[in-house]
Amino acid sequence: MLPVKLRHFELKAPIASGGMGTVYNAWDTMLERTVAIKLMQPQLHEDKEALEGFFREARVVASLNHTNIIHVYSFDYWNDQLYLAMELANNGSLDSWIRKDGAVPELNVLDVGLKIGHALNKALQHNILHRDIKPDNILFDSDGEAKLVDFGLAGSADEQDDSGEIWATPYYIAPEKVRREPETFLSDMYSLAGTLYHALTGHVPFEAEDMNDVVAAHVHTPLTPPNHVNPAITQETSDAIYRAMQKEPSHRFQSYDEWIMALTASNSQLMVKQYNITTN
């Protein structure tokens, strides 16, 4: 496409598109830097719920200042076009990495888990739940740094959705959400663990042809430990993922600090093992 001006932003080319909008690689002519511009789909401008979701995403992300959460630069209208200017992370997603290689090396998965765990903990300190953790919501910037994106479904940790609708991606949904029980940060933890499970093994935690069966499996089907799917995964990492994906929230790690400590211990032990292998 030919470059298009949007205030002082020059849109270069689309890099992603979804139901809410399209994200473009753009050039900020004022500050002379590359940014991402998310344009809301024009047909949604009259949709009250869609508008509220777009505004909520902008405000939530702007309220969070963390290396591993995508940064928002500005939010505005221009010629009846609603847009969001953000940090650019165009070095692929965890989802594209899984699809390209089949599975992701354990050390890389642990690095992502630690960084996104810290990001979610930061959000929780601001009383925010992400509510849609999945591989394609974890992007990488030019330095390979993991960035959590898409807070379109984010909500307050104190508020519960009484609409009866379930907002989540079936492959990574926490069992309590399926059971219509109160949602807490432990639901995000479960989804992050499910995301890491997929990256480690190359398989989603539960597979079935029908999505209803996938959702039901999160509630009723025992989880196969990651190292039973891929024996190369260390016991420590497998145990950490397995615990974070317990059916009952009370059986998971009870804080992100506990989760991070477990992943850090796994990471340290794996690095020692790999060092011993290379030096012997």
Side-chain angles (χ1 to χ4, degrees), residues 22-224:
T22 301
V23 181
Y24 293 84
N25 186 320
W27 178 250
D28 183 337
T29 60
M30 295 288 286
L31 297 178
E32 297 187 341
R33 64 179 177 180
T34 302
V35 299
I37 298 290
K38 184 174 183 178
L39 300 184
M40 187 177 191
Q41 302 288 17
Q43 64 269 26
L44 296 177
H45 285 189
E46 302 302 318
D47 186 324
K48 184 179 178 181
E49 287 188 12
L51 281 171
E52 287 177 354
F54 205 74
F55 275 104
R56 181 175 60 249
E57 178 180 9
R59 289 168 178 154
V60 165
V61 180
S63 72
L64 302 173
N65 182 19
H66 192 277
T67 301
N68 301 108
I69 296 175
I70 209 76
H71 293 150
V72 163
Y73 298 139
S74 62
F75 183 62
D76 206 351
Y77 282 103
W78 178 253
N79 290 339
D80 296 324
Q81 176 63 65
L82 192 62
Y83 71 90
L84 182 61
M86 304 177 290
E87 174 186 10
L88 180 67
N90 63 343
N91 198 23
S93 66
L94 185 59
D95 182 65
S96 63
W97 194 346
I98 295 168
R99 285 189 282 108
K100 179 171 67 76
D101 294 344
V104 178
E106 186 173 342
L107 276 175
N108 296 101
V109 173
L110 289 169
D111 182 63
V112 169
L114 284 165
K115 289 175 176 176
I116 302 303
H118 278 293
L120 289 173
N121 196 32
K122 178 71 171 182
L124 185 61
Q125 290 168 8
H126 288 256
N127 209 36
I128 294 168
L129 304 180
H130 185 280
R131 302 175 71 200
D132 194 23
I133 306 296
K134 56 186 178 182
D136 52 3
N137 280 343
I138 299 173
L139 305 183
F140 299 96
D141 66 12
S142 57
D143 295 322
E145 192 73 24
K147 302 284 182 175
L148 182 59
V149 302
D150 197 350
F151 282 75
L153 296 180
S156 169
D158 293 332
E159 297 178 3
Q160 296 300 320
D161 185 357
D162 297 324
S163 68
E165 296 183 64
I166 300 176
W167 299 100
T169 301
Y171 288 120
Y172 315 100
I173 188 171
E176 61 271 21
K177 294 180 72 168
V178 181
R179 297 190 296 250
R180 278 29 178 223
E181 296 171 359
E183 184 177 0
T184 70
F185 75 94
L186 294 168
S187 305
D188 276 351
M189 181 186 290
Y190 180 99
S191 297
L192 176 56
T195 293
L196 301 185
Y197 186 109
H198 189 181
L200 280 169
T201 65
H203 297 274
V204 292
F206 301 101
E207 296 177 298
E209 291 186 8
D210 188 292
M211 279 299 130
N212 290 325
D213 292 336
V214 172
V215 170
H218 284 281
V219 178
H220 302 294
T221 304
L223 179 69
T224 302

